[in-house]
Structures are given as structure tokens and as C-alpha cells.
Amino acid sequence: MSARNQEYHLPGKNQEQPYRRIFETMSDGLILNDVETGLVVEANPAAGAMHGYAREDFIGLHPTTFLHPDSYVQFSQWVHAVQAGDGFEATVVHIRRDGTPFTAEIRGTGCTYRDRPCLLSVVRDVSTRVQAEQLLREQMGARIREQATLLEISQALASELELKPGLILDQLREILEYTHGALFTLEGWDLVAVAVRGSKRLEQAMPFRIRLSGMETLAALSNGSRPQRTADVWSADPTAQFLRSLLEEQAAVLLEGVRAWMWIPLVVKGRVIGGVGVAHAEPNYFTAHHADLALRMANQAAITLVNAQRYQQAQVLAALEERQRLAQNLHDAVNQSLFSASLIAEVLPRLWEQHPDEVLESLEDLRRLTRGALAEMRGLLVELQPRELNDSELDDLIRLLGDALTGRTNIAVAVTVSGQGVLPAEVQLAFYRLCQEALNNVARHSGARQVKIHLHYEGGTVALSISDNGRGFDPEQIPSGHYGLSIMQERAKAIGATLSITSQPGQGTEIAVRWRETPE
């Protein structure tokens, strides 16, 4: 029932006793203010305690005593509202007796108490909730800034082909504060410092190297490709003792004036290629969150180091070898950059819960585009390194083509594979080219929204079908200038396969290729 035009009469003196117990045991504060004077004429113990008063001391106070000055005007608005027969709701700041503020939710209405018009307010202290919400917003903002910084770092490092080790340490400082930092590369059994950041004495110690005693030491540093944190390098903890024994002689300068330490291994495809060591003057400074951020950065740094090494090699090799190595460099860099983007896409939905519909829709687009871009780049690398066409599985190559089409055109592609088989190199290449040409025709001419690809192995027979739900066509009336179908026929004929095309206007198109192994 609406509060408008309703008049509430609180019990009189002789009737109020049955309600007094309810009034006094309410956990929310209950305050009655005289409409004309504004003074508190009644309150329950919860209201007094909430404001730091005994109930008896709270009664008789004017709202200006316990309302924040910024909220005075709202009290006048509440009075006008109840005089008009309306209720009111608001979130305001109240002041305790000791002067400390707290946030309160107010709900109220007008009533008559002892024949006087009054304003009845229900007050709830929501300071804890408001503070928690503010903390959550700050944490969300911090995580968003971290992810944005990681993406910028990923893009900056991925674009570098020449080794700039100092840049890696500088970029790391964007997300993680440290006192001393050093970047090492692994050369044989030596960790060689290629860049340092910190004290002048540390920089003067360059260059220096750390000799590893064997596989056991290397495995300890690798730590399963996870960061290692040492709360206090000068403690008796075994990890601290191991660190001090490792960083002896020239490298001991890394531990001067610091307490906390973190080591982040640089690993590519399971192989340790170096590491990053950071130290801080405060003990137990590095957290699990710091380790997670540093690992993401280290993964990109490892790719950057590999890219730089391979780029230097490519500069002195013959043209073909240079092309192949550069393609591998680009492959690693693009994979890592897209991984960073997908990582952000996974984190953002949990952070941006306030706008789930818009964010999730955008993230789905991001996932599709990055997946398609990765497939396109891998397809390009396959073209640059034809050996990949033979070394890869045919179903993986077909999925690659499907993902590339989806990313490029937003046409959904479903790939199913049944059975297993190994094809001769020239047959696999022909099937790949046939599927590639068919999907190109779908993108250019069909207007389809969905494509289904089925690859079937059975004995010595392989069948591939590509069907779409597009506009279709009459196979007997192909316009001049469209050579795709004739090229497909030639490719199929070259390997002794049969190719059939089934289509009608408005009924979509299906292309089927079938090859059977022969004794020859």
C-alpha cells in the first residue's frame, strides 16, 4: 500500500506498552522527529547506540546534531514529503557523538505521535557495506589497469625484434615495484646478467655471471616454470640459504640492502632460457598476485628474447632460411600477444559484472576475432613453410581454415572428424587446397551464415565434404570469370580423387571429395 495520503497513529500512552518491546528490540534505529521543531521526540536504543548516545540522551537532539552538514537540506525535503502524504528513502551521512561519520540508509513516513505530526525514520548503518563496495571498486579498477598495462607491455615487447634487455626490466617495473632487478640469459651452464636496475654499485658490477653446478641447480631455478618467492634472503630458510650460496662473489651485490626476493624463470616450450630476479628492501614484500603478474610478463619476455636471438641469426643466413626463421619468430610473437588478449578477455567478465550484457557481447567478438587472427597467421606461416602442410594433421589444418573463415567473416564453421588415417604428402596438400578454395568461394559468393565440414577416414578411403546454407547456384550455369570450381576439379583429378558439387538456387551448396588408396 502506498504511503501517500495515509495517516499513521502511533499508540497513545495507555496503549503503547504492548508495542514498546518491539520498538526497543529492533536492530535498526527508529527515530521520531517532531515535524514542526525537528527535535527527536522518541528513539529506540539501537538509534542511540548507532550514534554513540544513550537513548535518553539522544531524545531531544536536533537533526543538525547527528546529520552531516551536507545532509541538512535532505531533512527539510523529508518533512515536505511527509506533509504531502509521501514517504521517503535516502542514503545520507550521519555523525556519531565522537564526530566520526557513518553512512546510513533512511526510510521514513509521516505519523501522529501523542497528537503531534511526526516523521518516523528507520535508520540502518551501511558503512561496512559501502566500504566493501568501495574497496571492490578500487580492486576492480586496479585489476583493469593491470590488465591494460600487461596488454600494452605485450604489444611493446612483441614488436621488438632486436634484443633490448633493459626494456624488459623497465616494463616489469610498470606492474611491479622492486629495489634491485636483473635479467639473465642462460649460456651453457652460466646465467649471464644482460641488464640490471637498482643501485649504482649494482650497475657498476656489470657484466657478471652465475655458474650453475648442474641439472639439479637448473631444475631448482626452473621450479616447474613457476616463480619462487623468498620472504627474507637473510633468514635460515633453506631457499634463502640456497639463494645466498648461488649469488656469491659478483652477484652478491644483488642482495645488498634488500630482504625479499623473487625469481621468475624464462621458459619457452619447456626449455629454460634465463630468468628475472627482483629484490625489495621490505621483507615478505612479494605476494602471490605479484608472482602471477611477473609470470605473465616473463612469458612475453621469453618470447621476446627468443625472437631477438632468432632475428640476429636470420640476418646472416641465406634468403630461404631467413624467411623460415623469421616466420617462426612471428609465430611465437603473435601466439603470445593473442594469449595476452585472451587472458584479458577471461578476466574482464569477472571484473565488469556491473554491465554483463554489453561486456560479454564485446568479449565474444574479441574471442572470435583473436581466434580468427591466430588462424590467419598460422595459415600464413603454413604457406611460408610448406613442410608444415605435411607435418601437421589434416584435421588440424582444416580447423585452422575454418577458424580463419569465422574470424574473417563471422560465418560459423563446424568441423567433425571420424576415423584416423595418414595421407601421402601430395594427397594431404590437395585436400588442404580444395578445402581452402571451397571456403574462399563460400566467403565470396554464398552469403551463408553456417558451414559444416566433415572429414571421414575409413580403411584406405578419405572423404571430405563442405556444405553451406547459402544462396546456392546452378552448377550448369556458372558465370564466366569464376575459375574456383575448375581449379578444384583439376586438383582432385591430379591425385586421382573424385569431386562432386551439389547445389540449387536457395538451397546451399555441398562439395564432396573422395580419394581411395591404390596399390601404386
Side-chain angles (χ1 to χ4, degrees):
M1 179 183 294
S2 171
R4 187 172 180 83
N5 298 323
Q6 300 296 317
E7 186 179 56
Y8 297 94
H9 293 268
L10 295 184
K13 271 187 175 181
N14 297 330
Q15 299 173 305
E16 69 181 18
Q17 191 60 36
Y19 301 95
R20 173 62 62 178
R21 185 172 184 81
I22 298 175
F23 186 82
E24 292 182 348
T25 56
M26 286 282 289
S27 59
D28 290 335
L30 297 176
I31 303 174
L32 276 170
N33 295 87
D34 187 283
V35 167
E36 294 182 4
T37 65
L39 298 177
V40 177
V41 296
E42 185 59 277
N44 68 346
M50 190 181 301
H51 294 82
Y53 295 88
R55 171 181 169 274
E56 294 77 11
D57 295 334
F58 191 68
I59 296 174
L61 295 180
H62 192 271
T64 55
T65 306
F66 55 85
L67 273 178
H68 191 276
D70 293 342
S71 303
Y72 291 168
V73 66
Q74 289 184 274
F75 183 80
S76 300
Q77 294 171 353
W78 301 340
V79 171
H80 292 311
V82 299
Q83 288 175 337
D86 295 328
F88 60 88
E89 293 184 11
T91 300
V92 296
V93 177
H94 279 215
I95 303 297
R96 297 187 181 91
R97 190 172 192 172
D98 61 6
T100 58
F102 68 94
T103 305
E105 282 185 349
I106 308 291
R107 294 187 179 185
T109 186
C111 67
T112 300
Y113 178 67
R114 294 180 180 175
D115 301 323
R116 295 282 296 174
C118 291
L119 185 153
L120 173 61
S121 303
V122 180
V123 184
R124 176 170 294 176
D125 184 349
V126 294
S127 297
T128 301
R129 189 192 75 195
V130 170
Q131 292 170 358
E133 291 173 350
Q134 177 63 27
L135 179 60
L136 179 60
R137 283 193 294 270
E138 292 174 356
Q139 291 175 340
M140 288 171 60
R143 296 297 179 267
I144 291 171
R145 289 190 296 273
E146 286 175 354
Q147 299 306 322
T149 302
L150 279 173
L151 181 57
E152 292 174 359
I153 292 172
S154 174
Q155 293 170 341
L157 293 181
S159 65
E160 293 293 334
L161 288 177
E162 294 185 4
L163 180 60
K164 296 180 179 178
L167 175 63
I168 294 175
L169 291 178
D170 294 337
Q171 295 284 16
L172 178 60
R173 186 164 260 162
E174 293 291 326
I175 58 173
L176 176 64
E177 184 59 39
Y178 58 81
T179 304
H180 289 164
L183 173 66
F184 296 89
T185 59
L186 185 62
E187 297 180 5
W189 290 104
D190 287 348
L191 282 173
V192 181
V194 293
V196 296
R197 291 291 184 268
S199 67
K200 186 175 181 179
R201 176 172 163 77
L202 175 61
E203 294 176 357
Q204 290 173 342
M206 287 285 288
F208 58 86
R209 58 181 59 218
I210 301 170
R211 184 68 177 177
L212 304 182
S213 58
M215 283 299 301
E216 185 177 349
T217 303
L218 184 60
L221 289 174
S222 175
N223 192 37
S225 301
R226 294 294 303 174
Q228 299 180 64
R229 291 177 290 141
T230 303
D232 189 345
V233 298
W234 303 110
S235 69
D237 186 84
T239 59
Q241 294 178 352
F242 169 74
L243 180 64
R244 291 197 301 270
S245 66
L246 186 67
L247 302 181
E248 57 185 2
E249 298 179 357
Q250 286 181 298
V253 68
L254 278 168
L255 302 183
E256 291 181 359
V258 300
R259 300 287 295 279
W261 171 268
M262 182 164 61
W263 171 261
I264 311 100
L266 300 180
V267 181
V268 174
K269 296 181 179 180
R271 180 172 63 91
V272 179
I273 64 170
V276 178
V278 289
H280 199 278
E282 296 180 17
N284 203 26
Y285 176 79
F286 299 112
T287 65
H289 181 62
H290 288 150
D292 183 52
L293 290 175
L295 181 60
R296 298 183 204 177
M297 169 75 180
N299 288 337
Q300 180 63 64
I303 297 300
T304 300
L305 290 173
V306 171
N307 287 346
Q309 293 169 359
R310 290 175 175 169
Y311 178 67
Q312 292 171 357
Q313 295 169 355
Q315 289 178 314
V316 297
L317 295 177
L320 178 60
E321 186 175 2
E322 178 180 327
R323 182 188 69 176
Q324 292 174 337
R325 291 185 182 275
L326 185 57
Q328 182 65 46
N329 289 346
L330 292 173
H331 170 71
D332 285 345
V334 171
N335 260 322
Q336 188 63 27
S337 296
L338 291 176
F339 172 76
S340 300
S342 67
L343 191 62
I344 295 171
E346 292 171 4
V347 172
L348 284 176
R350 298 196 294 271
L351 298 180
W352 293 353
E353 293 177 350
Q354 296 181 355
H355 305 286
D357 295 334
E358 298 177 10
V359 173
L360 289 177
E361 182 179 354
S362 299
L363 288 176
E364 180 58 25
D365 290 340
L366 177 61
R367 185 197 67 83
R368 174 180 60 79
L369 290 171
T370 53
R371 185 176 178 182
L374 178 59
E376 290 279 7
M377 182 56 70
R378 289 186 59 197
L380 176 60
L381 295 173
V382 166
E383 300 294 335
L384 291 172
Q385 297 178 302
R387 189 172 55 188
E388 284 283 333
L389 289 172
N390 299 327
D391 294 342
S392 302
E393 298 291 337
L394 180 58
D395 52 304
D396 290 338
L397 294 172
I398 289 175
R399 288 189 178 93
L400 184 66
L401 293 173
D403 288 344
L405 179 69
T406 300
R408 187 169 67 250
T409 66
N410 202 22
I411 298 174
V413 178
V415 179
T416 58
V417 179
S418 57
Q420 291 181 335
V422 178
L423 299 177
E426 67 278 7
V427 175
Q428 176 152 311
L429 175 61
F431 269 74
Y432 174 82
R433 297 297 186 197
L434 285 165
C435 185
Q436 186 180 48
E437 185 63 35
L439 293 181
N440 286 339
N441 288 338
V442 169
R444 288 196 298 263
H445 309 300
S446 73
R449 303 306 303 164
Q450 185 178 29
V451 175
K452 294 181 180 179
I453 304 176
H454 181 62
L455 178 64
H456 176 67
Y457 296 90
E458 185 175 356
T461 302
V462 180
L464 174 68
S465 69
I466 304 105
S467 59
D468 66 68
N469 63 351
R471 60 177 64 93
F473 64 97
D474 185 353
E476 301 299 326
Q477 298 181 1
I478 300 175
S480 61
H482 289 260
Y483 305 110
L485 295 179
S486 61
I487 292 174
M488 294 169 66
Q489 293 281 9
E490 292 174 4
R491 290 190 186 280
K493 184 178 178 180
I495 61 170
T498 60
L499 183 142
S500 63
I501 301 171
T502 305
S503 183
Q504 293 182 21
Q507 299 298 316
T509 302
E510 180 181 11
I511 295 176
V513 187
R514 186 179 183 86
W515 176 84
R516 179 184 293 275
E517 186 177 12
T518 61
E520 292 79 13

